[in-house]
Every structure is written in structure tokens, then in C-alpha cells.
């Protein structure tokens, strides 16, 4: 059984394999003002209401191997974002991104870091899953 937790419950403990946190992700490159590809910003679910950039509801968790897993909600994404960011079942990241404490709480810095690279995308139902 999968467990969903809100952000405030996570802040005092580490996220364990199988637990998931709801977040909103702005796709793009931070140095390009969120255009391009990659992870521009990760926010606690609902915290992105004040920003104008399109964001995607995402479940964040860790795999048993200790990788960060993002499960992007396909239904909430425009077709052009699907093509730009998930074409050929690959997801590119050009810049390091550190997921903030407001999303993952007490998780160590190195476990909250997404490194540049090309990552495989797995399509499962209405989700696009990327393990970083």
C-alpha cells in the first residue's frame, strides 16, 4: 500500500521508500528563466498558485535504491510540454537542482539533489515516471 503524506508531516522525518509527497514542478532550466528542459522549481503542492509559470502536479518519493522518483501527472500537462520534456521517453536535465526543505524536509542534501543527465521515462497509466 502506498502512503501519501503532506509536506508538513515530512519535515520532521526522512521520507522512506514507498512514501510519497505531493508537489508542483515547474519544468525548464533555472538559468534560462524556466524555459528549455529540466527541473526549474519544485514546490509544496498548492504553493505555486502565486506564480505564473505552468506547473505539473507530481508525486515525489524515493526508490528502494535511493533514487529520487518523480511521478508527473500526464493529464494536467499540455501537449507541447509533453513533447518538449518527455519526447522519445527521455527527460533531460542540464543543471543541478536541489529539492527544497519545504518539499522533502529533513532529507539530506545529497539525496535531494538532481544531477544533470538524460533519464529514462516510464509511462504508467496517467503518470510519467522519472528516477533521478
Amino acid at each position: 500500500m502506498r502512503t501519501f503524506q503532506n509536506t508538513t508531516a515530512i519535515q520532521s522525518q526522512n521520507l522512506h521508500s514507498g512514501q510519497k509527497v505531493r508537489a508542483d514542478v515547474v519544468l525548464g532550466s533555472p538559468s534560462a528563466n524556466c524555459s528549455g528542459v529540466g527541473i526549474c522549481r519544485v514546490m509544496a503542492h498548492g504553493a505555486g498558485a502565486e506564480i505564473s509559470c505552468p506547473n505539473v502536479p507530481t508525486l515525489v518519493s524515493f526508490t528502494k535504491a535511493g533514487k529520487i522518483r518523480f511521478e508527473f501527472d500526464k493529464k494536467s500537462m499540455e501537449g507541447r510540454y509533453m513533447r518538449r520534456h518527455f519526447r522519445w521517453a527521455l527527460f533531460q536535465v542540464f543543471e543541478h537542482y536541489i529539492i527544497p526543505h519545504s518539499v522533502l524536509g529533513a532529507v539530506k542534501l545529497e539525496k535531494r539533489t538532481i544531477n544533470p543527465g538524460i533519464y529514462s521515462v516510464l509511462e504508467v497509466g496517467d503518470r510519467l515516471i522519472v528516477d533521478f
Side-chain angles (χ1 to χ4, degrees), residues 25-31 33-35 37-42 97:
V25 175
V26 176
L27 299 172
S29 184
S31 68
N33 200 26
C34 294
S35 63
V37 296
I39 302 292
C40 188
R41 189 170 179 190
V42 179
Y97 182 80

Short mmCIF file of all heavy atoms in Angstrom, two decimals, residues 25-31 33-35 37-42 97:
data_model
loop_
_atom_site.label_atom_id
_atom_site.label_comp_id
_atom_site.label_asym_id
_atom_site.label_seq_id
_atom_site.Cartn_x
_atom_site.Cartn_y
_atom_site.Cartn_z
N VAL A 25 5.74 20.91 -9.89
CA VAL A 25 7.03 21.07 -10.53
C VAL A 25 6.90 21.99 -11.73
O VAL A 25 6.03 21.80 -12.59
CB VAL A 25 7.60 19.69 -10.98
CG1 VAL A 25 8.89 19.86 -11.75
CG2 VAL A 25 7.81 18.79 -9.77
N VAL A 26 7.78 23.00 -11.78
CA VAL A 26 7.90 23.85 -12.96
C VAL A 26 9.03 23.26 -13.80
O VAL A 26 10.15 23.10 -13.32
CB VAL A 26 8.23 25.32 -12.57
CG1 VAL A 26 8.44 26.16 -13.83
CG2 VAL A 26 7.12 25.90 -11.70
N LEU A 27 8.70 22.90 -15.02
CA LEU A 27 9.69 22.30 -15.91
C LEU A 27 10.47 23.39 -16.62
O LEU A 27 9.93 24.44 -16.96
CB LEU A 27 8.99 21.40 -16.93
CG LEU A 27 8.20 20.23 -16.34
CD1 LEU A 27 7.39 19.53 -17.43
CD2 LEU A 27 9.13 19.25 -15.66
N GLY A 28 11.75 23.15 -16.86
CA GLY A 28 12.61 24.11 -17.55
C GLY A 28 13.95 24.22 -16.86
O GLY A 28 14.25 23.48 -15.93
N SER A 29 14.73 25.14 -17.30
CA SER A 29 16.08 25.32 -16.78
C SER A 29 16.13 26.60 -15.94
O SER A 29 15.73 27.67 -16.41
CB SER A 29 17.05 25.42 -17.95
OG SER A 29 18.36 25.51 -17.49
N PRO A 30 16.62 26.52 -14.70
CA PRO A 30 16.63 27.72 -13.84
C PRO A 30 17.40 28.89 -14.44
O PRO A 30 16.95 30.03 -14.34
CB PRO A 30 17.31 27.23 -12.56
CG PRO A 30 17.14 25.76 -12.55
CD PRO A 30 17.11 25.34 -14.00
N SER A 31 18.52 28.64 -15.08
CA SER A 31 19.32 29.74 -15.63
C SER A 31 18.69 30.36 -16.87
O SER A 31 19.09 31.43 -17.30
CB SER A 31 20.73 29.27 -15.94
OG SER A 31 20.71 28.36 -17.01
N ASN A 33 15.45 31.11 -17.03
CA ASN A 33 14.17 31.63 -16.57
C ASN A 33 13.03 30.63 -16.81
O ASN A 33 11.95 30.99 -17.25
CB ASN A 33 13.88 32.99 -17.21
CG ASN A 33 12.86 33.78 -16.42
OD1 ASN A 33 12.72 33.58 -15.22
ND2 ASN A 33 12.14 34.65 -17.09
N CYS A 34 13.32 29.37 -16.56
CA CYS A 34 12.37 28.25 -16.65
C CYS A 34 11.96 27.91 -18.08
O CYS A 34 10.96 27.23 -18.29
CB CYS A 34 11.16 28.46 -15.77
SG CYS A 34 11.58 28.47 -14.00
N SER A 35 12.70 28.37 -19.08
CA SER A 35 12.45 27.87 -20.43
C SER A 35 13.46 26.73 -20.65
O SER A 35 14.30 26.46 -19.81
CB SER A 35 12.61 28.97 -21.47
OG SER A 35 13.93 29.46 -21.49
N VAL A 37 14.65 22.77 -20.98
CA VAL A 37 14.26 21.49 -20.36
C VAL A 37 14.93 21.34 -19.00
O VAL A 37 15.89 22.02 -18.68
CB VAL A 37 14.62 20.29 -21.27
CG1 VAL A 37 13.84 20.33 -22.57
CG2 VAL A 37 16.11 20.23 -21.54
N GLY A 38 14.39 20.42 -18.21
CA GLY A 38 14.94 20.14 -16.89
C GLY A 38 13.94 20.44 -15.79
O GLY A 38 12.74 20.53 -16.02
N ILE A 39 14.47 20.60 -14.59
CA ILE A 39 13.66 20.93 -13.42
C ILE A 39 14.00 22.35 -13.02
O ILE A 39 15.13 22.64 -12.61
CB ILE A 39 13.96 19.97 -12.23
CG1 ILE A 39 13.70 18.52 -12.62
CG2 ILE A 39 13.16 20.38 -11.00
CD1 ILE A 39 12.26 18.16 -12.88
N CYS A 40 13.05 23.25 -13.14
CA CYS A 40 13.28 24.65 -12.79
C CYS A 40 12.95 24.92 -11.33
O CYS A 40 13.67 25.63 -10.65
CB CYS A 40 12.45 25.56 -13.70
SG CYS A 40 12.85 27.30 -13.48
N ARG A 41 11.86 24.32 -10.86
CA ARG A 41 11.42 24.61 -9.49
C ARG A 41 10.52 23.49 -9.00
O ARG A 41 9.68 22.99 -9.74
CB ARG A 41 10.66 25.93 -9.48
CG ARG A 41 10.33 26.45 -8.13
CD ARG A 41 9.81 27.87 -8.24
NE ARG A 41 9.48 28.34 -6.91
CZ ARG A 41 8.82 29.46 -6.68
NH1 ARG A 41 8.43 30.22 -7.67
NH2 ARG A 41 8.55 29.82 -5.47
N VAL A 42 10.67 23.11 -7.73
CA VAL A 42 9.80 22.14 -7.07
C VAL A 42 9.25 22.82 -5.83
O VAL A 42 9.99 23.37 -5.02
CB VAL A 42 10.57 20.86 -6.68
CG1 VAL A 42 9.65 19.87 -5.97
CG2 VAL A 42 11.21 20.20 -7.91
N TYR A 97 19.81 20.54 -9.55
CA TYR A 97 18.69 21.16 -8.85
C TYR A 97 18.57 20.49 -7.48
O TYR A 97 18.60 19.25 -7.37
CB TYR A 97 17.37 21.00 -9.61
CG TYR A 97 16.24 21.69 -8.89
CD1 TYR A 97 16.07 23.06 -9.00
CD2 TYR A 97 15.41 20.99 -8.03
CE1 TYR A 97 15.08 23.72 -8.29
CE2 TYR A 97 14.41 21.64 -7.31
CZ TYR A 97 14.25 23.00 -7.45
OH TYR A 97 13.28 23.65 -6.73
#
